Amino acid sequence: MKEEEKEEEAQAEVEKWKYIFGFTNMAVVKCAIELGIADAIENHKSPIPLSDLSSTLNCNPSYLHRIMRFLVHQKIFREKPSINGSTGYEQTPLSRMLLGPGENTLKPLFLLESSPVMLAPWHFLRSRVLLNGTGAFEGAHGDDLWKYWEENPGHSQLFNEAMASNARFAVKSVIQKCPEVFDGVRSLVDVGGGNGTFVSLLVKEFPWINGINFDLPHVVSVNPEFEGVTHVGGDMFQNVPNADAASVMWVLHDWNDEECIAILKKCKEAVPKEKGKVIIIEAIVGENKTDDELEIARLLLDMVIMAHTKTGKERTSKEWEFVIHQAGFSSHSITHISALQSIIQCFP
């Protein structure tokens, strides 16, 4: 036991700094996005020396060197010899996913979560945990998340762009791992679909599907047009447009069990009893799979939901089973797809 305690103490000496300076990763990556480092590296077409990078970005070479040294150590960029033989920088798969450029990046999601609006509620997390406490987002901004979006169109747009960037990655995972989910589906309504990115990508991949993007009226009123997709405004607690199938991605985790059940009931009413289904794309926590490196990301997401919503949470498979059963579905299946989310198919 003494040897184990010594090992724990030695590890604690290292780990403590990750918590004390934990905000630094987010702050430096945000700085890199704002400077346009990834764009400059991408445009150079070959490893770019510090001198060229600093002149392109109009940066102090000494400070930029320290930023790049940190980002290289974090494996966000990598060092490679440049054409003139000096050390140059090039992108990695991680830098392309975090920093862009291009639409196949999670940069909008990063910018949302690192924005002052979304950071402020973390200072009120204690209030969310206390008995009879108030929501952390309300504590920071006076209103819940949804009212804030409605009253602040600029931030609402950032939110929709962030959800769209996540949707692009989610669609790829779904299509690669289990495209059979959409066999026989001729029409699909995406509930809480934001700007319509998710359903538009599905329709592009499965052109026989007629897509309906369903969200609040103020959301869909400014949406771009997509071929094969109809935008419909409404309230998912009141009704959901009819279709062969309904998809709900990263929506139900925003609500408590009672609200979640109410949404699922409306989805169930919208699909045919015999051949219809509701497709939930959400994280499932606590599966205890030792090889699942994404579990920490799901637990982090659960903390994000606690900080940003009134009643939402990430659910275990048992908790999903409860809300699905209470909503009146006869059966369901879960497919893990080696991604943050899993696919839950619910059958009337």
Side-chain angles (χ1 to χ4, degrees), residues 252-258 260 283-286 302 311-317 319-320 323:
L252 297 175
H253 69 174
D254 293 329
W255 307 94
N256 66 20
D257 286 354
E258 183 180 350
C260 189
I284 300 178
V285 297
D302 187 42
T311 59
K313 65 176 180 178
E314 301 305 324
R315 292 176 168 86
T316 65
S317 56
E319 289 171 324
W320 279 116
V323 296

mmCIF file of all heavy atoms in Angstrom, residues 252-258 260 283-286 302 311-317 319-320 323:
data_model
loop_
_atom_site.group_PDB
_atom_site.id
_atom_site.type_symbol
_atom_site.label_atom_id
_atom_site.label_comp_id
_atom_site.label_asym_id
_atom_site.label_seq_id
_atom_site.Cartn_x
_atom_site.Cartn_y
_atom_site.Cartn_z
ATOM 1 N N LEU A 252 -32.305 15.808 -26.773
ATOM 2 C CA LEU A 252 -32.933 15.259 -25.566
ATOM 3 C C LEU A 252 -32.060 15.432 -24.335
ATOM 4 O O LEU A 252 -32.574 15.492 -23.210
ATOM 5 C CB LEU A 252 -33.261 13.780 -25.783
ATOM 6 C CG LEU A 252 -34.281 13.504 -26.903
ATOM 7 C CD1 LEU A 252 -34.437 12.009 -27.120
ATOM 8 C CD2 LEU A 252 -35.625 14.150 -26.604
ATOM 9 N N HIS A 253 -30.745 15.525 -24.513
ATOM 10 C CA HIS A 253 -29.881 15.716 -23.334
ATOM 11 C C HIS A 253 -30.035 17.113 -22.720
ATOM 12 O O HIS A 253 -29.498 17.364 -21.642
ATOM 13 C CB HIS A 253 -28.414 15.414 -23.664
ATOM 14 C CG HIS A 253 -27.746 16.397 -24.576
ATOM 15 N ND1 HIS A 253 -26.398 16.323 -24.870
ATOM 16 C CD2 HIS A 253 -28.206 17.478 -25.267
ATOM 17 C CE1 HIS A 253 -26.068 17.302 -25.689
ATOM 18 N NE2 HIS A 253 -27.147 18.021 -25.937
ATOM 19 N N ASP A 254 -30.765 17.990 -23.403
ATOM 20 C CA ASP A 254 -31.009 19.333 -22.857
ATOM 21 C C ASP A 254 -32.168 19.370 -21.864
ATOM 22 O O ASP A 254 -32.412 20.417 -21.248
ATOM 23 C CB ASP A 254 -31.326 20.314 -23.992
ATOM 24 C CG ASP A 254 -30.132 20.557 -24.898
ATOM 25 O OD1 ASP A 254 -28.990 20.498 -24.415
ATOM 26 O OD2 ASP A 254 -30.341 20.813 -26.106
ATOM 27 N N TRP A 255 -32.881 18.241 -21.710
ATOM 28 C CA TRP A 255 -34.130 18.249 -20.958
ATOM 29 C C TRP A 255 -34.146 17.154 -19.891
ATOM 30 O O TRP A 255 -33.474 16.132 -20.011
ATOM 31 C CB TRP A 255 -35.311 18.052 -21.918
ATOM 32 C CG TRP A 255 -35.300 19.036 -23.048
ATOM 33 C CD1 TRP A 255 -34.768 18.863 -24.296
ATOM 34 C CD2 TRP A 255 -35.806 20.378 -23.025
ATOM 35 N NE1 TRP A 255 -34.924 19.987 -25.052
ATOM 36 C CE2 TRP A 255 -35.556 20.945 -24.309
ATOM 37 C CE3 TRP A 255 -36.455 21.147 -22.053
ATOM 38 C CZ2 TRP A 255 -35.925 22.243 -24.634
ATOM 39 C CZ3 TRP A 255 -36.831 22.439 -22.386
ATOM 40 C CH2 TRP A 255 -36.564 22.981 -23.648
ATOM 41 N N ASN A 256 -34.989 17.355 -18.854
ATOM 42 C CA ASN A 256 -35.125 16.334 -17.813
ATOM 43 C C ASN A 256 -35.985 15.178 -18.329
ATOM 44 O O ASN A 256 -36.488 15.210 -19.458
ATOM 45 C CB ASN A 256 -35.680 16.930 -16.518
ATOM 46 C CG ASN A 256 -37.118 17.442 -16.648
ATOM 47 O OD1 ASN A 256 -37.849 17.061 -17.558
ATOM 48 N ND2 ASN A 256 -37.516 18.303 -15.738
ATOM 49 N N ASP A 257 -36.157 14.158 -17.497
ATOM 50 C CA ASP A 257 -36.865 12.959 -17.949
ATOM 51 C C ASP A 257 -38.301 13.252 -18.387
ATOM 52 O O ASP A 257 -38.754 12.767 -19.430
ATOM 53 C CB ASP A 257 -36.874 11.905 -16.828
ATOM 54 C CG ASP A 257 -35.518 11.237 -16.652
ATOM 55 O OD1 ASP A 257 -34.610 11.504 -17.462
ATOM 56 O OD2 ASP A 257 -35.368 10.455 -15.687
ATOM 57 N N GLU A 258 -39.019 14.035 -17.607
ATOM 58 C CA GLU A 258 -40.414 14.349 -17.939
ATOM 59 C C GLU A 258 -40.511 15.065 -19.288
ATOM 60 O O GLU A 258 -41.349 14.737 -20.132
ATOM 61 C CB GLU A 258 -41.029 15.212 -16.835
ATOM 62 C CG GLU A 258 -42.498 15.536 -17.054
ATOM 63 C CD GLU A 258 -43.087 16.387 -15.936
ATOM 64 O OE1 GLU A 258 -42.395 16.559 -14.908
ATOM 65 O OE2 GLU A 258 -44.218 16.876 -16.102
ATOM 66 N N CYS A 260 -38.178 15.071 -21.645
ATOM 67 C CA CYS A 260 -37.671 14.139 -22.647
ATOM 68 C C CYS A 260 -38.775 13.175 -23.097
ATOM 69 O O CYS A 260 -38.958 12.927 -24.294
ATOM 70 C CB CYS A 260 -36.495 13.373 -22.052
ATOM 71 S SG CYS A 260 -35.579 12.359 -23.217
ATOM 72 N N ALA A 283 -25.103 10.804 -26.563
ATOM 73 C CA ALA A 283 -24.085 10.100 -25.777
ATOM 74 C C ALA A 283 -24.759 9.151 -24.794
ATOM 75 O O ALA A 283 -25.872 9.397 -24.332
ATOM 76 C CB ALA A 283 -23.216 11.101 -25.026
ATOM 77 N N ILE A 284 -24.067 8.065 -24.499
ATOM 78 C CA ILE A 284 -24.500 7.140 -23.448
ATOM 79 C C ILE A 284 -23.325 6.985 -22.486
ATOM 80 O O ILE A 284 -22.248 6.532 -22.880
ATOM 81 C CB ILE A 284 -24.914 5.770 -24.014
ATOM 82 C CG1 ILE A 284 -26.080 5.938 -24.997
ATOM 83 C CG2 ILE A 284 -25.305 4.827 -22.883
ATOM 84 C CD1 ILE A 284 -26.525 4.632 -25.642
ATOM 85 N N VAL A 285 -23.519 7.371 -21.247
ATOM 86 C CA VAL A 285 -22.428 7.340 -20.271
ATOM 87 C C VAL A 285 -22.499 6.068 -19.438
ATOM 88 O O VAL A 285 -23.533 5.407 -19.353
ATOM 89 C CB VAL A 285 -22.468 8.574 -19.339
ATOM 90 C CG1 VAL A 285 -22.258 9.845 -20.128
ATOM 91 C CG2 VAL A 285 -23.768 8.633 -18.553
ATOM 92 N N GLY A 286 -21.346 5.741 -18.825
ATOM 93 C CA GLY A 286 -21.318 4.664 -17.842
ATOM 94 C C GLY A 286 -21.421 3.272 -18.395
ATOM 95 O O GLY A 286 -21.903 2.357 -17.715
ATOM 96 N N ASP A 302 -21.403 15.951 -20.016
ATOM 97 C CA ASP A 302 -22.414 15.969 -18.956
ATOM 98 C C ASP A 302 -22.250 17.204 -18.069
ATOM 99 O O ASP A 302 -23.234 17.821 -17.661
ATOM 100 C CB ASP A 302 -22.307 14.689 -18.115
ATOM 101 C CG ASP A 302 -23.442 14.562 -17.110
ATOM 102 O OD1 ASP A 302 -24.595 14.852 -17.466
ATOM 103 O OD2 ASP A 302 -23.163 14.170 -15.957
ATOM 104 N N THR A 311 -32.176 21.617 -16.775
ATOM 105 C CA THR A 311 -32.485 20.287 -16.249
ATOM 106 C C THR A 311 -31.847 19.144 -17.024
ATOM 107 O O THR A 311 -32.085 17.982 -16.716
ATOM 108 C CB THR A 311 -34.017 20.067 -16.260
ATOM 109 O OG1 THR A 311 -34.500 20.204 -17.613
ATOM 110 C CG2 THR A 311 -34.727 21.070 -15.377
ATOM 111 N N GLY A 312 -31.057 19.452 -18.045
ATOM 112 C CA GLY A 312 -30.542 18.405 -18.913
ATOM 113 C C GLY A 312 -29.480 17.537 -18.271
ATOM 114 O O GLY A 312 -28.908 17.878 -17.225
ATOM 115 N N LYS A 313 -29.189 16.404 -18.925
ATOM 116 C CA LYS A 313 -28.145 15.493 -18.443
ATOM 117 C C LYS A 313 -27.819 14.470 -19.523
ATOM 118 O O LYS A 313 -28.633 14.190 -20.407
ATOM 119 C CB LYS A 313 -28.590 14.767 -17.179
ATOM 120 C CG LYS A 313 -29.772 13.821 -17.373
ATOM 121 C CD LYS A 313 -30.086 13.078 -16.080
ATOM 122 C CE LYS A 313 -31.257 12.125 -16.251
ATOM 123 N NZ LYS A 313 -31.546 11.371 -15.013
ATOM 124 N N GLU A 314 -26.599 13.934 -19.473
ATOM 125 C CA GLU A 314 -26.263 12.764 -20.274
ATOM 126 C C GLU A 314 -26.777 11.535 -19.523
ATOM 127 O O GLU A 314 -26.756 11.490 -18.296
ATOM 128 C CB GLU A 314 -24.767 12.667 -20.504
ATOM 129 C CG GLU A 314 -24.176 13.876 -21.221
ATOM 130 C CD GLU A 314 -24.847 14.181 -22.541
ATOM 131 O OE1 GLU A 314 -25.238 13.235 -23.248
ATOM 132 O OE2 GLU A 314 -24.976 15.376 -22.867
ATOM 133 N N ARG A 315 -27.228 10.524 -20.262
ATOM 134 C CA ARG A 315 -27.906 9.385 -19.654
ATOM 135 C C ARG A 315 -27.146 8.075 -19.853
ATOM 136 O O ARG A 315 -26.453 7.888 -20.849
ATOM 137 C CB ARG A 315 -29.327 9.250 -20.234
ATOM 138 C CG ARG A 315 -30.253 10.392 -19.836
ATOM 139 C CD ARG A 315 -31.627 10.274 -20.501
ATOM 140 N NE ARG A 315 -32.578 11.200 -19.884
ATOM 141 C CZ ARG A 315 -32.725 12.474 -20.238
ATOM 142 N NH1 ARG A 315 -31.987 12.956 -21.228
ATOM 143 N NH2 ARG A 315 -33.588 13.253 -19.619
ATOM 144 N N THR A 316 -27.344 7.168 -18.898
ATOM 145 C CA THR A 316 -26.862 5.802 -19.041
ATOM 146 C C THR A 316 -27.852 5.029 -19.908
ATOM 147 O O THR A 316 -28.950 5.507 -20.210
ATOM 148 C CB THR A 316 -26.752 5.115 -17.677
ATOM 149 O OG1 THR A 316 -28.083 4.987 -17.121
ATOM 150 C CG2 THR A 316 -25.892 5.919 -16.708
ATOM 151 N N SER A 317 -27.483 3.830 -20.313
ATOM 152 C CA SER A 317 -28.395 3.015 -21.117
ATOM 153 C C SER A 317 -29.673 2.698 -20.340
ATOM 154 O O SER A 317 -30.768 2.646 -20.917
ATOM 155 C CB SER A 317 -27.713 1.724 -21.571
ATOM 156 O OG SER A 317 -27.217 0.990 -20.468
ATOM 157 N N GLU A 319 -31.063 4.643 -18.066
ATOM 158 C CA GLU A 319 -31.864 5.873 -18.042
ATOM 159 C C GLU A 319 -32.538 6.118 -19.387
ATOM 160 O O GLU A 319 -33.686 6.589 -19.441
ATOM 161 C CB GLU A 319 -30.979 7.055 -17.639
ATOM 162 C CG GLU A 319 -30.568 7.011 -16.172
ATOM 163 C CD GLU A 319 -29.514 8.048 -15.814
ATOM 164 O OE1 GLU A 319 -28.628 8.330 -16.665
ATOM 165 O OE2 GLU A 319 -29.572 8.567 -14.689
ATOM 166 N N TRP A 320 -31.851 5.775 -20.478
ATOM 167 C CA TRP A 320 -32.492 5.875 -21.789
ATOM 168 C C TRP A 320 -33.635 4.876 -21.901
ATOM 169 O O TRP A 320 -34.705 5.193 -22.434
ATOM 170 C CB TRP A 320 -31.474 5.632 -22.904
ATOM 171 C CG TRP A 320 -30.645 6.828 -23.231
ATOM 172 C CD1 TRP A 320 -29.296 6.980 -23.080
ATOM 173 C CD2 TRP A 320 -31.115 8.077 -23.757
ATOM 174 N NE1 TRP A 320 -28.894 8.227 -23.474
ATOM 175 C CE2 TRP A 320 -29.988 8.934 -23.896
ATOM 176 C CE3 TRP A 320 -32.371 8.560 -24.125
ATOM 177 C CZ2 TRP A 320 -30.101 10.228 -24.398
ATOM 178 C CZ3 TRP A 320 -32.475 9.856 -24.614
ATOM 179 C CH2 TRP A 320 -31.355 10.676 -24.746
ATOM 180 N N VAL A 323 -36.829 6.378 -20.139
ATOM 181 C CA VAL A 323 -37.593 7.423 -20.833
ATOM 182 C C VAL A 323 -38.236 6.874 -22.104
ATOM 183 O O VAL A 323 -39.363 7.272 -22.459
ATOM 184 C CB VAL A 323 -36.722 8.665 -21.133
ATOM 185 C CG1 VAL A 323 -36.266 9.317 -19.844
ATOM 186 C CG2 VAL A 323 -35.536 8.338 -22.027
#
